[in-house]
Amino acid sequence: AGRAVCSVFPYQVRRRRSLPPPSVVRKAPAFCWMSSERGGRLRLLNPLSIRFSQPRIAGHFRDGHRLDEAAAGFVEMPLLSARDVDPAALRADSAPGVPPYDVLLVPPFPEIRVISWRPKLRRPDGEAQRDENGDAIMGARAWFALDNRRLYAMQSAAAKRWPRRCCVVVRCIEEMPGSEVKELRKFRTTTEGRSIEFGFDSKVKGRPARMWRWPMDAPKGTVRSGSEELLDAQGDYAEDLWD
């Protein structure tokens, strides 16, 4: 995972990212830059199985470019078939075999950081739910994003391709350095991360906030009952995921 591809969105080249693991990628596009990120393990994960850690996001990045614009800038790459995989290229600390995905999505920004986490269950007002002893009630373990706006773009891109099973490269954070610890304090989702609220957009006056979850962007009639729960069963730790 040390090689690299370049973003198709020039506005995001301030940061760099790693190429998808070469053991599963057929051929990288002719783009060109390296990752400056360190720490964690690079793994493949369906973005629709990743949860939002915050309750709301803006509709644009800090540089002003809209999230929907980024969602339209993903590049599709095929994965290797089982007969093309060299067993020696697979890592011992990752899931065995060929990843169960149909296509790899290469985003126009660096890979997102994710953490396996049990969130506090919260009421709609943001207050933590507590049991009869006053202890916080914890939700089920899942993968949560530390980069919520990028996750929205990933989920929107993957939802538009549903029911094809998409995956992206993520950086699984296990040891939490100071900057990530501060971000954990922002884990305030009131929906266990299954939906996100768009805040008011400073670039479009009068646009109201709205709740969003990925089935809203999927082709009509393709998301069946239980689809979201089925996506959750991909492994709770980095060694359960594909390299």
Side-chain angles (χ1 to χ4, degrees), residues 74-141:
F74 281 68
V75 176
E76 292 189 16
M77 293 174 61
L79 300 177
L80 292 174
S81 65
R83 63 177 179 273
D84 295 326
V85 173
D86 179 4
L90 300 177
R91 296 174 59 95
D93 62 348
S94 62
V98 177
Y101 306 116
D102 299 316
V103 63
L104 172 72
L105 297 182
V106 180
F109 43 66
E111 72 274 353
I112 66 172
R113 300 161 298 160
V114 299
I115 179 174
S116 180
W117 194 255
R118 290 190 64 196
K120 292 180 180 179
L121 298 184
R122 296 183 181 276
R123 301 196 302 261
D125 62 3
E127 288 297 317
Q129 298 183 31
R130 300 189 178 278
D131 60 21
E132 61 274 9
N133 298 318
D135 297 324
I137 301 175
M138 309 302 290
R141 182 174 294 278

Side-chain angles (χ1 to χ4, degrees), residues 209-235:
R210 63 185 178 92
M211 291 300 297
W212 182 89
R213 58 193 307 161
W214 71 261
M216 297 171 62
D217 280 5
K220 187 175 180 180
T222 60
V223 181
R224 300 179 179 178
S225 176
S227 294
E228 293 182 82
E229 288 71 18
L230 184 63
L231 289 168
D232 292 338
Q234 295 192 66

Side-chain angles (χ1 to χ4, degrees):
R3 300 178 183 176
V5 292
C6 179
S7 168
V8 294
F9 269 28
Y11 67 83
Q12 287 292 346
V13 291
R14 297 190 188 93
R15 300 188 63 187
R16 297 177 177 182
R17 59 177 170 74
S18 300
L19 180 69
S23 59
V24 295
V25 176
R26 184 178 300 277
K27 183 179 180 182
F31 307 130
C32 59
W33 38 279
M34 297 297 292
S35 175
S36 61
E37 299 285 346
R38 293 292 183 269
R41 302 191 221 179
L42 295 178
R43 291 291 186 266
L44 295 176
L45 195 58
N46 190 323
L48 303 182
S49 69
I50 306 172
R51 309 283 187 87
F52 295 100
S53 58
Q54 297 177 9
R56 60 188 60 87
I57 53 174
H60 53 80
F61 292 106
R62 291 181 180 178
D63 62 6
H65 286 83
R66 296 195 53 76
L67 306 189
D68 291 334
E69 183 182 1
F74 281 68
V75 176
E76 292 189 16
M77 293 174 61
L79 300 177
L80 292 174
S81 65
R83 63 177 179 273
D84 295 326
V85 173
D86 179 4
L90 300 177
R91 296 174 59 95
D93 62 348
S94 62
V98 177
Y101 306 116
D102 299 316
V103 63
L104 172 72
L105 297 182
V106 180
F109 43 66
E111 72 274 353
I112 66 172
R113 300 161 298 160
V114 299
I115 179 174
S116 180
W117 194 255
R118 290 190 64 196
K120 292 180 180 179
L121 298 184
R122 296 183 181 276
R123 301 196 302 261
D125 62 3
E127 288 297 317
Q129 298 183 31
R130 300 189 178 278
D131 60 21
E132 61 274 9
N133 298 318
D135 297 324
I137 301 175
M138 309 302 290
R141 182 174 294 278
W143 288 103
F144 284 84
L146 298 179
D147 309 291
N148 288 270
R149 283 178 287 190
R150 280 184 268 171
L151 175 59
Y152 164 83
M154 286 181 169
Q155 287 199 354
S156 179
K160 288 179 172 62
R161 293 166 170 82
W162 182 266
R164 283 195 295 166
R165 299 166 298 173
C166 299
C167 65
V168 295
V169 175
V170 299
R171 186 172 294 275
C172 298
I173 302 298
E174 296 168 316
E175 296 183 6
M176 302 299 294
S179 60
E180 276 82 4
V181 170
K182 292 180 180 179
E183 292 181 73
L184 289 180
R185 299 172 185 169
K186 301 178 182 178
F187 271 52
R188 307 288 296 183
T189 175
T190 59
T191 63
E192 294 189 74
R194 293 186 180 276
S195 61
I196 191 79
E197 180 183 358
F198 274 80
F200 291 98
D201 193 330
S202 60
K203 287 185 171 295
V204 182
K205 294 183 179 180
R207 172 172 290 180
R210 63 185 178 92
M211 291 300 297
W212 182 89
R213 58 193 307 161
W214 71 261
M216 297 171 62
D217 280 5
K220 187 175 180 180
T222 60
V223 181
R224 300 179 179 178
S225 176
S227 294
E228 293 182 82
E229 288 71 18
L230 184 63
L231 289 168
D232 292 338
Q234 295 192 66
D236 293 331
Y237 300 97
E239 54 267 26
D240 300 324
L241 305 180
W242 287 265
D243 179 32

